[in-house]
Amino acid sequence: MVSYRETSSSPRLIRDLAYHFDFDLVRSTGDHSWVTLSQPFKFDVLAGDGTGGLYLAYGNGRLEERPVLYVSSEGQAGKIADNLDAALGVILMLPHWMDVLKFSGGGVLSEMRKTAASLGEEYEVDNPDLPAVRDRVFAELRLTKPNDPVVLLHTAVSQTDCTVIAKDGWKYESLFGGFHAR
């Protein structure tokens, strides 16, 4: 299991995670007072993204072993993985994972697969150095590539076990979007 400290110790790794995968460790230090979980779960902010969203490790136990919740700045939230290794595996293999969920037809695995395939091809054409960067990050963190990141993501979001509550009491929506694959 990767140590969270390892992910934040290398300047190149920090830059690669932020630039190529929108997992920005520097953004974890901002104001997070707007995040309230419905359950009395303890949480630690792991990273942020360019849209103002946050990655949280929540629950009890070692930080790296806790589930990872993504909270968008647009009112959606959900568990994306059972632990930090799995979250990084999904993020590295599916850097467009948010769009895979947005175009999931409300959480339909076959729709997610179609979206992942079409967006994956586009993403790699637009980012030709992505495969090399991905391999380097996997090696540096000593992570194993997940066999099926779409299933991991689908399963995790389906098993979301806590809700984010806005200051006005509104419950954040699921990460599964209602749009269908192109």
Side-chain angles (χ1 to χ4, degrees):
M1 176 156 288
V2 73
S3 161
Y4 181 68
R5 189 165 291 152
E6 286 178 82
T7 61
S8 59
S9 63
S10 162
R12 182 171 81 173
L13 181 60
I14 291 169
R15 187 177 53 253
D16 285 344
L17 287 170
Y19 180 75
H20 293 282
F21 305 101
D22 207 12
F23 188 83
D24 192 340
L25 299 166
V26 175
R27 291 181 187 266
S28 68
T29 59
D31 175 26
H32 310 112
S33 62
W34 56 275
V35 178
T36 303
L37 302 182
S38 62
Q39 308 284 341
F41 287 123
K42 167 188 163 189
F43 71 86
D44 292 290
V45 178
L46 299 170
D49 69 16
T51 67
L54 297 174
Y55 295 90
L56 313 174
Y58 68 98
N60 297 313
R62 284 188 48 227
L63 181 99
E64 295 85 1
E65 296 172 350
R66 298 187 329 216
V68 176
L69 184 77
Y70 176 77
V71 182
S72 82
S73 61
E74 302 299 317
Q76 298 88 25
K79 181 171 86 168
I80 62 164
D82 289 332
N83 57 54
L84 181 58
D85 282 4
L88 288 170
V90 166
I91 292 164
L92 293 172
M93 294 303 294
L94 296 172
H96 51 286
W97 68 267
M98 284 186 251
D99 288 329
V100 170
L101 291 172
K102 180 179 179 179
F103 293 94
S104 70
V108 178
L109 182 59
S110 60
E111 289 291 311
M112 292 174 65
R113 286 192 188 288
K114 287 181 208 171
T115 302
S118 91
L119 291 179
E121 291 171 10
E122 289 177 31
Y123 201 85
E124 291 196 15
V125 166
D126 293 341
N127 301 282
D129 56 340
L130 183 66
V133 173
R134 176 187 292 131
D135 289 345
R136 184 174 65 239
V137 172
F138 268 110
E140 191 168 335
L141 292 175
R142 296 178 312 279
L143 291 172
T144 303
K145 290 182 181 178
N147 291 331
D148 195 338
V150 176
V151 166
L152 287 176
L153 183 60
H154 179 268
T155 301
V157 175
S158 297
Q159 296 174 348
T160 298
D161 58 354
C162 72
T163 304
V164 177
I165 308 294
K167 296 237 185 253
D168 64 1
W170 183 77
K171 292 182 180 182
Y172 277 43
E173 298 173 358
S174 171
L175 291 174
F176 287 131
F179 295 105
H180 290 273
R182 306 181 228 180

